[in-house]
Amino acid sequence: MLKKISFAGPSITQKEIDYVVDATKNGWYETYNIHIKKLEKAVTSYLGVKFGIATQNCTLALHLATATLGLRDTDEVICTDFSWVATAYAISYTGAKPVFVDIDPDSWCIDPQAIKKAITSKTKAIMLVHSFGHPAQMDEIMDIAKEYNLRVIEDAAPSLGSEFKGQKTGTFGDIGCFSFHGAKIAVSGEGGIFVTNDEGIYKKASLLASMGRTDSKAVFWSDMLGYKYTIANLTAALALAQVERIDELVAKKREIFSWYYERLKDVQGLKIIKEKKDCKSNYCYPSILLQDSLSVSRDEVLEKLKALNIECRPGFPRMSRFPVFEARFPNHEAEKVEKWGISLPSALNLTREDADFVCDSLLEIIE
Ligand SMILES: *Cc1c(COP(=O)(O)O)cnc(C)c1O
């Protein structure tokens, strides 16, 4: 039986175990939320932002973002067509309409020029994704937002540790959201965090995340329709241990990418997606684009790799094709990645031998 090469998975050490045991024993009574407070502090000081609210997952952090900005059913939000559907659903939960636009073929992040073309009188915000850990072009995006007076939400779910021009992703827009899902770089199984530099946004989001509760007029008083989105202390303890190791985790992901890059950079018939100028990627999901001139289809490649116990992922289907949405633009670059994109295994237990086996197998299949 060939060794299983997992697509994603964490690095867990004694530190994580100790923090979880500590939370189990001590995260009650007057210290019932101590690990949550520590997690929010650790993430905000790492990113260099003022405020953080840890949530049960990133999908909820994204909904908290769209709800806090007061989006509603007459509004449009310009959104990348290439992402996990949580990005767009977070817009739809408010009644606002996601308008899906194309991606930059070199980073698979939203194309700033496509944003410009999609702006209408109804546009209220831009929802971008730092796709697979690659930073979006934040200077151009923030310039457009300023010019047209649009809010910016960064779906930074997989990009903890990535940087654009030396500034951490998730800290450019009005709100940034990160995930600690088990398949991300720093994990707690389920978990996420909402960050902002704006005190007004932070205050409103805090109310919304905890049932609108203020205790201002009475104990158990609620001031607005709210949600129960805050994280569990036990979960926060695990996330905290991971965040304290983020530099090590980013270094490992970048090392994994370098193994693939070395082997695949000059191969005919595929393109490996590399960080662009001025960008530092955490390479959460190292990815390639096969050329449509190959004699095998992308799905055949995936099946053959799976038969060798190598777990890869196909590119996301364009969300604009989903039954709940509608397409306004064809988005040909996103279509190419949908058809020909592959994310390679980058679990944090991956070895150099594993990466070589993945490359050997891939090259044999596409030859
Ligand atoms: C993982 C991911 C999410 C969702 O995160 P959860 O914590 O699983 O809710 C949202 N957007 C993107 C781009 C993601 O990769």
Side-chain angles (χ1 to χ4, degrees):
M1 186 65 184
L2 284 162
K3 178 185 172 188
K4 165 91 175 181
I5 299 183
S6 298
F7 175 69
S11 158
I12 299 295
T13 62
Q14 191 60 42
K15 181 186 185 79
E16 283 76 5
I17 295 166
D18 289 345
Y19 280 28
V20 171
V21 169
D22 180 42
T24 307
K25 286 184 179 163
N26 304 314
W28 313 106
Y29 300 103
E30 68 274 17
T31 48
Y32 72 98
N33 65 356
I34 188 165
H35 295 89
I36 300 174
K37 294 293 150 210
K38 283 185 180 171
L39 173 65
E40 289 169 348
K41 184 91 194 40
V43 173
T44 52
S45 44
Y46 173 70
L47 296 174
V49 289
K50 290 195 186 133
F51 307 104
I53 303 169
T55 56
Q56 289 168 39
N57 57 56
C58 181
T59 304
L60 299 182
L62 290 165
H63 179 218
L64 197 54
T66 56
T68 300
L69 296 184
L71 295 171
R72 55 201 191 93
D73 55 7
T74 48
D75 297 336
E76 290 179 356
V77 178
I78 296 172
C79 176
T80 176
D81 208 354
F82 181 78
S83 185
W84 167 233
V85 72
T87 310
Y89 279 167
I91 298 166
S92 302
Y93 293 154
T94 66
K97 180 188 278 231
V99 174
F100 296 102
V101 303
D102 212 356
I103 54 173
D104 171 350
D106 295 325
S107 66
W108 297 359
C109 294
I110 196 164
D111 173 1
Q113 290 315 309
I115 295 176
K116 258 192 147 158
K117 283 183 204 139
I119 293 171
T120 71
S121 59
K122 293 182 172 174
T123 308
K124 288 283 152 43
I126 300 165
M127 171 78 92
L128 62 98
V129 179
H130 299 293
S131 301
F132 295 166
H134 292 291
Q137 293 296 302
M138 290 315 302
D139 47 4
E140 283 178 70
I141 294 170
M142 294 311 296
D143 283 350
I144 294 167
K146 207 173 262 174
E147 185 180 344
Y148 294 91
N149 193 25
L150 305 176
R151 299 294 207 155
V152 175
I153 301 169
E154 296 178 68
D155 179 349
S159 76
L160 191 62
S162 300
E163 295 172 11
F164 180 77
K165 294 193 172 165
Q167 184 179 335
K168 294 279 188 317
T169 57
T171 67
F172 291 82
D174 296 282
I175 298 163
C177 301
F178 294 89
S179 173
F180 301 120
H181 184 268
K184 300 298 198 289
I185 186 165
V187 312
S188 60
E190 293 280 349
I193 191 162
F194 167 111
V195 300
T196 182
N197 275 312
D198 184 309
E199 190 170 9
I201 286 176
Y202 170 69
K203 283 190 172 154
K204 183 164 178 205
S206 300
L207 268 182
L208 285 174
S210 51
M211 302 298 277
R213 182 173 170 173
T214 59
D215 289 347
S216 58
K217 296 201 173 75
V219 179
F220 303 124
W221 187 265
S222 178
D223 261 340
M224 61 189 345
L225 175 66
Y227 310 96
K228 188 67 165 59
Y229 282 178
T230 46
I231 200 170
N233 191 65
L234 193 54
T235 306
L238 181 48
L240 173 64
Q242 292 267 286
V243 168
E244 288 182 356
R245 292 177 55 224
I246 188 66
D247 289 338
E248 177 197 337
L249 302 178
V250 170
K252 174 73 194 196
K253 284 279 191 185
R254 289 179 64 83
E255 185 180 33
I256 291 170
F257 172 78
S258 75
W259 296 334
Y260 286 131
Y261 186 69
E262 207 175 285
R263 293 285 312 273
L264 301 176
K265 68 179 192 300
D266 297 322
V267 172
Q268 293 285 318
L270 69 82
K271 166 171 143 180
I272 182 161
I273 303 301
K274 187 174 176 292
E275 64 197 358
K276 289 176 66 136
K277 186 170 159 289
D278 297 326
C279 294
K280 179 183 177 185
S281 175
N282 71 359
Y283 287 111
C284 192
Y285 305 117
S287 299
I288 58 172
L289 187 75
L290 301 179
Q291 267 170 20
D292 56 8
S293 55
L294 290 177
S295 56
V296 280
S297 74
R298 190 272 315 275
D299 290 344
E300 281 173 276
V301 173
L302 289 179
E303 248 165 57
K304 287 182 171 164
L305 289 169
K306 192 174 169 199
L308 295 169
N309 235 356
I310 299 170
E311 191 185 20
C312 296
R313 296 247 180 105
F316 292 118
R318 280 159 295 158
M319 296 183 289
S320 60
R321 298 171 54 226
F322 292 176
V324 292
F325 297 127
E326 62 193 57
R328 194 172 293 177
F329 303 101
N331 302 337
H332 294 300
E333 296 300 337
E335 181 181 10
K336 271 187 218 159
V337 183
E338 171 179 348
K339 287 191 178 143
W340 293 100
I342 294 179
S343 296
L344 300 170
S346 67
L348 288 162
N349 67 357
L350 193 97
T351 65
R352 170 132 218 180
E353 290 67 41
D354 295 338
D356 278 330
F357 181 62
V358 172
C359 294
D360 290 339
S361 307
L362 177 69
L363 295 179
E364 203 164 300
I365 292 165
I366 66 169
E367 206 145 73

